[in-house]
Amino acid sequence: MDMFNIPGLEECLAAARWTRALVIGKGVYREVSALLDAEYGSKRVFLIADENTMDAAGSGLEQTLNSSGIEITGRHIFPAEPRLHAEYKHIETLKEKFAALMDTSSQPLVPAAVGSGTINDLVKRAAGELSLPYLCIPTAASVDGFTAAGAAILKDDFKQTLSCSAPLCIAADTGVLSCAPAWLSSSGFGDLAGKICAGADWIIADAAAPAGAKWADPIEDKAWAMVQNGLHGYLDRSVTAAEGDEDALKALFEALSITGFTMQYANDSRPVSGAEHLFAHIWEMEDLSVSGIPVTHGHKVAIGSLADTAFLETLFADPKNPPPPPGGYRHPAFDERIAEVKSAFAHSPALESVIKTVTEKYPDEKTAANVSMGIRDQWKELRAKVLEQLIPYGELKAVLIKARCPVLPKEINLDRSAIFACARRAQMIRKRYNGLDLAWDLGCFQTVLARMETSGGYF
């Protein structure tokens, strides 16, 4: 795809709906006072951190703010152990503390989230429920969620994205980012690498839309350009981020910020999320962990990106035609499809939600046949676009290894068969169209999985 020039960071920030300022570099905390004055009209800050992030950045930020005449109105410091989870009960705690201070001064209260993705999500939602613009002070380049709207929260025993505005301002000190644990930086790289697959799946959805596929959607040129046109350059520049390289971390945080700004612009995660994230979401539902420690989102996305790449390479292996359906295949009736879902999610609290999703996305036999015909008519062109977008599996694996991301199922406490089993469930959980859906509509989903599984080149 060749749409637009490569948009710069400032242009992407200007396209964001909520965020007005991003300052990134060494020693940027001294700029926070000016941001508070210019963007928030306030000198009252409430700090939220955990014990680790308070040591890493909170104490230094607090000293800088105090010396600038900023009042630290309150603090909430979570314990370092056990590791903090984004549970809704913490949002309720923060809301109580914010609400108690909101009317005690003529100046607005500014919550300041000092930490990685979990703290940011908790503060984002708590502040959002009280209509308080908040300040984001990241301590690791670990996710793209710092600049995105919405917060991934565990509520009612189900991980879900709750709506809320993105931060008004972000101040990221590269010196602090460089001191973050390597696994957090490699997690951010894994999240960024997933945008390659997201682009491939959007190309598929763009082609499937005129063919009549349910929930397929055309590419929006500006959103595509914001994420994709500079992506390979950012991946090249940030691959050593886990080594503590400040230049690499600056590039990584810029790139992750741009993906968040794109979600703000599009008011959707479509431009940055494809089937690679569906694999990750399944493992998040299952609380995937290693030795009791949860696998990070970005590391799940890294393995999901390899799985999605393997699936798409197998689906588009033949330049003339898609793989054939398995022998004796017939399009599943609706009742049969729901029975598959119930079997796949029999013990999951997400079962009812998945049934609703599959009900809405289920194509009848005529719709599936129309999609198949429309895709076959453009197979050669679509195949070329998808394979040009992807980083080949072997190359992607090598890049992820260099970035210190996991590349084997056992590294995230899975085995090889679990990857293929996950693909079946991943196809069921979202309406947004992707390569998994295309294979299902073509009737060749099981053929693709069987070929992946017998291949010696994947996992």
Side-chain angles (χ1 to χ4, degrees):
M1 309 291 285
D2 186 17
M3 303 174 182
F4 291 86
N5 295 320
I6 298 175
L9 180 62
E10 291 301 319
E11 183 180 348
C12 294
L13 173 59
R17 291 171 181 260
W18 293 282
T19 303
R20 295 179 188 166
L22 166 65
V23 290
I24 178 170
K26 197 156 190 172
V28 297
Y29 291 169
R30 57 181 173 266
E31 299 182 37
V32 171
S33 177
L35 285 178
L36 289 167
D37 185 50
E39 303 295 347
Y40 299 85
S42 179
K43 293 184 179 295
R44 299 174 69 230
V45 168
F46 190 110
L47 286 180
I48 308 94
D50 65 27
E51 290 171 340
N52 290 331
T53 62
M54 193 67 187
D55 288 342
S59 296
L61 174 66
E62 190 170 18
Q63 290 174 11
T64 301
L65 294 181
N66 282 333
S67 66
S68 302
I70 303 299
E71 177 190 359
I72 307 300
T73 306
R75 299 171 190 78
H76 185 81
I77 312 301
F78 292 100
E81 297 293 340
R83 185 183 293 180
L84 182 65
H85 295 283
E87 299 176 62
Y88 192 79
K89 65 181 181 181
H90 299 311
I91 291 171
E92 293 176 323
T93 298
L94 293 177
K95 280 175 59 184
E96 288 178 10
K97 295 201 169 190
F98 297 164
L101 295 169
M102 284 175 63
D103 299 324
T104 60
S105 171
S106 60
Q107 294 192 53
L109 181 71
V110 180
V114 183
S116 55
T118 297
I119 287 174
N120 185 62
D121 276 351
L122 292 172
V123 177
K124 187 189 302 186
R125 177 65 184 194
E129 290 192 14
L130 296 172
S131 299
L132 289 173
Y134 83 102
L135 171 65
C136 175
I137 308 290
T139 56
S142 52
V143 290
D144 63 8
F146 289 113
T147 56
I153 303 295
L154 182 65
K155 186 180 183 185
D156 301 326
D157 297 320
F158 182 48
K159 190 73 169 283
Q160 50 193 295
T161 299
L162 303 182
S163 61
C164 47
S165 300
L168 190 63
C169 300
I170 305 107
D173 189 309
T174 54
V176 172
L177 300 183
S178 70
C179 293
W183 56 269
L184 283 172
S185 301
S186 66
S187 181
F189 187 91
D191 202 5
L192 183 63
K195 313 313 176 194
I196 294 287
C197 294
D201 280 319
W202 203 3
I203 289 169
I204 290 167
D206 182 73
K214 279 194 168 185
W215 305 102
D217 51 330
I219 288 173
E220 200 282 330
D221 291 351
K222 183 171 181 178
W224 173 276
M226 288 171 70
V227 175
Q228 296 294 335
N229 285 10
L231 181 55
H232 284 275
Y234 271 120
L235 288 170
D236 289 343
R237 289 161 52 201
S238 62
V239 72
T240 56
E243 298 172 18
D245 180 338
E246 283 195 45
D247 289 337
L249 282 157
K250 185 174 186 292
L252 179 58
F253 196 84
E254 283 184 3
L256 292 170
S257 296
I258 286 171
T259 64
F261 296 151
T262 306
M263 285 187 271
Q264 290 190 45
Y265 163 75
N267 203 26
D268 192 4
S269 60
R270 164 92 263 184
V272 304
S273 176
E276 80 294 332
H277 267 75
L278 301 184
F279 283 90
H281 291 329
I282 290 292
W283 297 326
E284 281 160 1
M285 290 179 188
E286 297 172 347
D287 294 324
L288 187 65
S289 62
V290 177
S291 301
I293 299 172
V295 178
T296 67
H297 173 73
H299 285 170
K300 290 192 284 275
V301 171
I303 298 291
S305 296
L306 288 169
D308 193 23
T309 299
F311 190 94
L312 294 179
E313 286 184 347
T314 306
L315 174 61
F316 288 99
D318 189 334
K320 295 182 179 179
N321 294 293
Y329 173 83
R330 62 177 178 79
H331 184 77
F334 176 72
D335 289 346
E336 293 173 319
R337 183 60 172 157
I338 296 302
E340 288 180 31
V341 174
K342 289 180 177 179
S343 175
F345 289 88
H347 305 293
S348 170
L351 175 61
E352 291 306 315
S353 174
V354 179
I355 288 175
K356 182 176 184 293
T357 296
V358 169
T359 298
E360 292 175 358
K361 73 185 287 187
Y362 171 80
D364 58 27
E365 189 170 0
K366 181 179 179 181
T367 299
N370 288 339
V371 172
S372 180
M373 183 180 301
I375 292 296
R376 288 172 188 276
D377 287 344
Q378 55 177 317
W379 183 257
K380 183 177 179 180
E381 179 185 11
L382 176 59
R383 176 181 182 271
K385 288 180 179 178
V386 170
L387 295 183
E388 181 183 7
Q389 168 65 19
L390 290 173
I391 298 175
Y393 181 91
E395 292 180 24
L396 178 60
K397 179 180 177 182
V399 169
L400 291 171
I401 290 173
K402 187 175 181 180
R404 303 190 185 181
C405 291
V407 296
L408 296 174
K410 66 181 180 181
E411 294 179 84
I412 61 170
N413 202 23
L414 295 172
D415 57 31
R416 191 170 183 264
S417 63
I419 301 292
F420 307 110
C422 182
R424 296 182 176 91
R425 284 173 287 154
Q427 191 273 328
M428 299 174 178
I429 63 172
R430 293 289 187 275
K431 295 191 284 285
R432 182 182 298 149
Y433 204 82
N434 58 69
L436 303 177
D437 293 317
L438 176 61
W440 200 89
D441 283 352
L442 292 171
C444 64
F445 190 91
Q446 297 300 332
T447 304
V448 173
L449 285 187
R451 290 181 177 181
M452 282 174 62
E453 209 156 357
T454 55
S455 167
Y458 299 130
F459 298 107

